[in-house]
Amino acid sequence: DGVYIGGNNFSFTNNYIRLDNATGYAYGFVDRSVNNIISDNFIEVYSNAYSAGINIEGSVVANNIIKHNRIHLVAGNDTAPWGNIAVAYGAEILDYNYNGGPYKQFKNAPKANNNSFINNTITGTARQFYGFEIYGRSNTLIENNTIISNEGYTTMGIGAIGENITMHNNIIDVKG
């Protein structure tokens, strides 16, 4: 990982992160906490297998604001060394309480909500490219972001499973 944060109430601003020549999983920034601001950073991740820009993940991950970041990702255009297809994720929100099925059944689980992604720019190429992936969160805002991928086999601007997710005024230009 480039940066891993497990504490609460922090600000991570105006940083440059570059991970280059990775052969496996490469994460630019991982946040597993609450009440944080991640702003005005430039993150570049290059891997032949798995590139991730900003991951917000855990059972209780809430009230994080991710804004004004530039994320550039490159993963391979073939398969990873372990056989999976090479993939790049610009920003992920992963709720460890959610394991598929109807999301509402997990309402009483510890909260992982109220996260905002505002005015970020995500670019990259990979066999599979995802600008944003939201997997089991609630009250998520994705607003005024730009997502561009000029090359890929399976590409997606935003993929979301959860509840009360607002996507507003995003520019998505993905090819694949």
Side-chain angles (χ1 to χ4, degrees):
D1 297 345
V3 175
Y4 170 87
I5 301 293
N8 301 325
N9 304 306
F10 72 83
S11 177
F12 185 79
T13 61
N14 294 310
N15 297 288
Y16 174 67
I17 299 170
R18 180 182 173 109
L19 302 177
D20 206 353
N21 294 321
T23 57
Y25 292 94
Y27 296 87
F29 185 91
V30 177
D31 173 11
R32 293 186 177 160
S33 52
V34 300
N35 301 322
N36 305 307
I37 296 173
I38 304 160
S39 177
D40 299 290
N41 300 292
F42 182 30
I43 299 170
E44 293 182 283
V45 183
Y46 299 87
S47 174
N48 69 344
Y50 184 101
S51 297
I54 296 177
N55 280 35
I56 309 299
E57 57 186 49
S59 298
V60 181
V61 182
N63 306 318
N64 293 296
I65 299 170
I66 298 87
K67 63 181 183 175
H68 305 293
N69 297 288
R70 290 183 302 145
I71 301 167
H72 180 70
L73 308 165
V74 175
N77 285 318
D78 200 2
T79 57
W82 51 88
N84 293 356
I85 291 175
V87 64
Y89 293 96
E92 292 181 279
I93 304 175
L94 304 174
D95 183 347
Y96 288 176
N97 298 305
Y98 179 67
N99 295 311
Y103 185 72
K104 292 183 182 211
Q105 72 186 15
F106 297 96
K107 258 189 160 171
N108 294 325
K111 291 296 180 187
N113 58 16
N114 300 323
N115 295 293
S116 298
F117 288 87
I118 304 166
N119 292 324
N120 298 287
T121 299
I122 299 171
T123 60
T125 61
R127 173 89 185 258
Q128 288 185 335
F129 173 87
Y130 302 90
F132 285 97
E133 182 182 61
I134 291 80
Y135 189 74
R137 296 291 180 167
S138 61
N139 302 323
T140 300
L141 174 65
I142 301 173
E143 183 174 59
N144 295 326
N145 297 285
T146 300
I147 303 164
I148 299 170
S149 178
N150 293 320
E151 181 183 349
Y153 181 76
T154 304
T155 58
M156 182 182 306
I158 301 172
I161 297 172
E163 56 186 10
N164 299 322
I165 297 171
T166 300
M167 297 178 223
H168 176 73
N169 202 39
N170 297 288
I171 297 169
I172 300 170
D173 181 5
V174 294
K175 294 172 181 63

